[in-house]
Amino acid sequence: MANRTISFGSSGDDVKKLQQALNSAGYSLEVDGKFGSKTQSAVRSYQQKNGLAVDGIVGVNTWNSLSKLSTGNSNQSSNKSQTANTNSASKIKEPTTKKRPTYEKNENVISAENSLSDWENNKPQEYESKYSQEIEAILDGILNREKFQYNMNADPLYNQYREQYINNGKKAMMDAVANASALSGGYSNSYAVTAGNEAYNEQLNKLNNIALNLYDRAYAKYKDDGDSLVDKITVLRGLDGDDYNKYRDELSDYYKDGDYLLNKLTSLSDADYKAFLEEVEAYENDRDYEYKKYLEALEQQNYYDKLKFEQEKFNEEMAFKKAEAERDQRNADRSYALSASKASSSSSSSKKSSDNYVKSTVLPKTYEHFVNMTGYTGILTKNEFNQRKYVKEEYGNYDNYLLEMYYKYGFK
C-alpha cells in the first residue's frame, strides 16, 4: 500500500514511519507520530542531501528515497536474493511527478485588484462649502448687530428739515408780528409778539412731526436691513445645502461602486483559489496514483524475481545433487575397477608382461610419474588441482585424483 503524502501538521502511523526512516538516515527524532518543526527540518535536510525538491513535503520521491535507504540498511546481509530484487527494481522507472502547483493570481483577479486600488485612490475630497465664509460673515453681522438707535442731530435730513422749519418759523413769526402791528397802527405790542411766537411754534411743531416720521423711517430701514441679512443667509444656506446634498449623493455612489468592486474581487479571488486547490488536489491524486502504480509494479517484479531466484536455487541444488550422484557413481565404479584390477592381476599375473604388472600394482604418486606410466599429459598438475576448489571438493586430494585419472587413462 502506498504511503500517503504528508507534511507539517500531519499525524499518525505514516508520520511514525517517516520518523523511524529519518532516524535510520542519521537523524535523532522522537517517534511520536506528529509532524512538527523538528521533523520538517529533518525532512528538508534529507531532501537537500539527496538531491530532492526541498519543500518539506513527504511525497512520492521522498518516500521512495527513504524506502531505498531502509531497504539497503535492513538487507545488507541478505546477499544474493536481495541483490536480484534490487537489480530488478532498478529496471522499473520511478514515477516522475510534475512540479507542485503554486498559486498565481489570474488576469481577472489582478484587474479587479487594480480597479479596487484605483477606486480607493479616487475617493471624493471632504466637503468644502463655497458659501461658508460669506455665511459666517453675514451670521456674524446678524448676531453682533448694534441695537437700533436714532440720533436726530446726527441725521442730515433732520438737520435740513430743522434749518428749513426754523427759518420758516422765523419768517412766520416776523409776518405775524408785522400783521399784528399793522392792526394797531404800526406799533409793536404784546399781541403782536404773542402772534409771532405762535407762528414760530407752529413751524417747530411741524418739525417735531417730521422728526417722528424720520425716526419711523430710520427704524423701518434698520428692520429692513436685518430682514435682508436673514433673507440673504437663508438663500446662501439653501445653496450650501444643495451642494452638500450633491456631495452626499456623490459619496454614496462612490461607496456603492466600492462595494461592487470589493464583491467582484472577492468572488473572482474565491473562484480562482478554489480552482488552484482543485489543481493541487488533482496533482496529489496523480502523484499518489503514479506512486501506487510504481509500488505495485515493483512488488510484482520483486515477486517474479523471487520466483526466478527460487527456481535458480532449486536448479543449483538439483545440479549439486546430480554432481554428488555422479561422483558417488564414479567412486563406486573406481572401487569396482580397483577390486576387479586386483582380482585380475592376482589371477593372471603369470600371463601378463612385467610392464602390465607394474601398471596394475604400482600407482602413480606425481604428475610426472603418471605421465611416465600412461604417456598421457592432459590431466591437472598438483598446483592446478589445488587452485580448483570444485575439483578438490570432488576428489578430496591429489592422490585420489591421480588414481581416478589412472583408471581412466592408464589402461588405454
Side-chain angles (χ1 to χ4, degrees), residues 95-120:
T96 55
T97 57
K98 300 178 181 178
K99 183 179 180 181
R100 182 181 179 83
T102 55
Y103 178 66
E104 294 182 0
K105 299 174 184 176
N106 65 26
E107 294 181 357
N108 292 332
V109 174
I110 295 175
S111 176
E113 285 181 339
N114 292 336
S115 297
L116 185 61
S117 178
D118 292 340
W119 171 83
E120 291 175 341

Side-chain angles (χ1 to χ4, degrees), residues 3-34:
N3 295 305
R4 65 188 179 94
T5 299
I6 56 178
S7 58
F8 184 87
S10 301
S11 61
D13 292 338
D14 286 332
V15 179
K16 288 184 179 180
K17 183 177 180 181
L18 168 66
Q19 291 168 334
Q20 291 170 347
L22 289 172
N23 288 342
S24 298
Y27 297 90
S28 299
L29 298 173
E30 180 182 355
V31 183
D32 55 3
K34 298 178 181 178

Side-chain angles (χ1 to χ4, degrees), residues 5-8 18 22 25 27 35 39-66 69 100 283 287:
T5 299
I6 56 178
S7 58
F8 184 87
L18 168 66
L22 289 172
Y27 297 90
F35 200 123
T39 301
Q40 187 184 50
S41 297
V43 169
R44 288 179 176 276
S45 174
Y46 179 85
Q47 289 173 332
Q48 184 176 11
K49 292 179 179 178
N50 290 274
L52 302 169
V54 183
D55 55 7
I57 300 173
V58 183
V60 175
N61 294 332
T62 305
W63 273 124
N64 186 38
S65 178
L66 289 169
L69 177 65
R100 182 181 179 83
Y283 159 81
R287 182 177 60 178

Side-chain angles (χ1 to χ4, degrees), residues 77-93:
S77 61
S78 62
N79 54 44
K80 197 169 184 179
S81 174
Q82 185 58 39
T83 302
N85 290 338
T86 302
N87 292 336
S88 298
S90 63
K91 298 175 184 177
I92 301 175
K93 188 177 181 180

Side-chain angles (χ1 to χ4, degrees), residues 313-364:
K313 184 177 179 182
F314 174 77
N315 292 339
E316 289 179 0
E317 291 177 352
M318 292 302 296
F320 179 75
K321 290 180 179 179
K322 181 178 179 182
E324 281 188 331
E326 291 177 350
R327 185 181 61 187
D328 292 341
Q329 183 62 42
R330 285 196 300 271
N331 289 337
D333 292 343
R334 182 177 57 189
S335 298
Y336 175 77
L338 182 60
S339 300
S341 175
K342 289 180 179 180
S344 176
S345 62
S346 57
S347 62
S348 60
S349 56
S350 59
K351 298 179 181 178
K352 290 183 179 181
S353 65
S354 59
D355 290 338
N356 287 337
Y357 177 76
V358 170
K359 288 181 180 180
S360 63
T361 57
V362 179
L363 299 177

